[in-house]
């Protein structure tokens, strides 16, 4: 009776979260744009996408990150992707995002630094290696799409764009995957395609084998899982440097 009375005489606001992940992310972007405007910050489009990718969709987390950015950029007020990389924290559910990005970018020093930070934060090494396996599988899909010309990557180092080509072959192959890469947010899809473009399929398959072997050793040996993962990163990325030298 009370609710009906309020509904009749006032305005009801519902704050239900969308059920689908992409809808939650889009809602978070709208919230973020509002928060940035209130703080008189001028973000690039890439910066907005990167904040959501790192911080997640929780409004309280987004408020905190906008406050940090406001202090960090000072009088400049322009927020770039590099500012986000420098100061925005990864939410717990996004813990492996930065590590996977560093591996995809072949940044050994960055990957080791992020790994040690995540270990300090008590993140599971087993969970992290599983996340890296998942990332490499994604990169294999994007590598295949680029090789078969189902997708075209354009732009420069500062802003990459991915365009999907329409056709029965690509529709059939990509449509039957558990997660159709064409359904990803354009920013994330372009980022993954950019990382995939840096490696051959054979290299990515080698990465995946090393990660699977490391995972198996984590659960079957007495060597600390964190140390095994660190050795794995060295084999992945230092080995690539030697191979291209």
């Amino acid at each position: 009776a009370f609710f009906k009375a309020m509904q009749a005489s006032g305005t009801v606001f519902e704050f239900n979260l969308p059920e689908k992940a992409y809808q939650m992310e889009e809602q978070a972007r709208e919230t973020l744009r509002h928060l940035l405007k209130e703080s008189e910050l001028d973000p690039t489009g890439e910066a907005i996408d990167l904040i959501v990718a790192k911080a997640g969709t929780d409004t309280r987390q987004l408020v905190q990150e906008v406050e940090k950015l406001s202090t960090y950029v000072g009088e400049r007020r322009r927020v770039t992707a590099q500012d986000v990389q420098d100061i925005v924290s990864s939410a717990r559910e996004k813990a492996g995002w930065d590590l996977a990005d560093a591996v995809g970018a072949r940044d050994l020093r960055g990957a080791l630094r992020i790994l040690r930070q995540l270990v300090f934060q008590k993140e599971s090494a087993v969970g992290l290696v599983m996340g890296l396996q998942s990332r490499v599988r994604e990169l294999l899909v994007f590598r295949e799409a680029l090789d078969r010309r189902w997708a075209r990557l354009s732009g420069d180092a500062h802003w990459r764009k991915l365009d999907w080509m329409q056709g029965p072959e690509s529709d059939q192959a990509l449509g039957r995957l558990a997660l159709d890469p064409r359904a990803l947010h354009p920013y994330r899809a372009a980022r993954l395609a950019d990382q995939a473009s840096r490696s051959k399929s054979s290299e990515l398959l080698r990465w995946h084998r090393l990660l699977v072997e490391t995972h198996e050793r984590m659960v079957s040996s007495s060597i600390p899982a964190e140390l095994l993962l660190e050795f794995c990163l060295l084999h992945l990325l230092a080995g690539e440097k030697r191979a291209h030298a």
Side-chain angles (χ1 to χ4, degrees), residues 21-22 57 99 128 165 186 199:
Y22 76 89
T57 58
L99 178 61
L128 293 174
M165 306 294 108
S199 304

Side-chain angles (χ1 to χ4, degrees), residues 57-71:
T57 58
D58 181 76
T59 301
R60 188 181 307 170
Q61 179 79 12
L62 293 175
V63 169
Q64 292 175 350
E65 299 307 331
V66 169
E67 289 176 354
K68 285 163 57 179
L69 280 167
S70 181
T71 303

Side-chain angles (χ1 to χ4, degrees), residues 59-191:
T59 301
R60 188 181 307 170
Q61 179 79 12
L62 293 175
V63 169
Q64 292 175 350
E65 299 307 331
V66 169
E67 289 176 354
K68 285 163 57 179
L69 280 167
S70 181
T71 303
Y72 184 71
V73 301
E75 296 181 359
R76 170 160 52 98
R77 312 316 289 165
R78 181 68 167 168
V79 177
T80 66
Q82 188 59 53
D83 295 325
V84 177
Q85 291 282 18
D86 290 342
I87 201 67
V88 171
S89 304
S90 292
R92 191 167 186 84
E93 66 272 17
K94 304 278 186 177
W97 173 274
D98 288 346
L99 178 61
D101 263 357
V103 171
R106 299 172 177 266
D107 179 7
L108 175 58
R109 181 177 298 179
L112 291 174
R113 174 180 54 78
I114 294 166
L115 172 60
R116 288 161 186 165
Q117 178 63 34
L118 293 174
V119 170
F120 177 77
Q121 294 171 196
K122 306 299 183 184
E123 296 294 339
S124 165
V126 173
L128 293 174
V129 78
M130 291 174 66
L132 290 174
Q133 290 174 49
S134 178
R135 171 60 65 94
V136 173
R137 287 194 293 269
E138 286 182 305
L139 295 183
L140 279 164
V141 170
F142 278 90
R143 180 72 262 182
E144 186 75 6
L146 292 171
D147 288 343
R148 292 180 177 272
R149 299 188 179 181
W150 296 339
R152 183 177 63 238
L153 192 62
S154 59
D156 54 29
H158 301 288
W159 182 257
R160 300 292 263 165
K161 182 184 178 186
L162 184 69
D163 294 307
W164 293 100
M165 306 294 108
Q166 300 296 325
E169 183 185 12
S170 61
D171 288 343
Q172 181 179 10
L174 299 175
R176 64 170 178 248
L177 296 175
L179 176 61
D180 190 331
R182 297 170 297 181
L184 294 174
H185 187 273
Y187 170 78
R188 184 171 184 229
R191 197 173 184 87

Side-chain angles (χ1 to χ4, degrees), residues 7-19:
Q7 191 175 36
S9 60
T11 302
V12 176
F13 295 93
E14 294 188 11
F15 297 94
N16 296 329
L17 293 175
E19 293 183 1

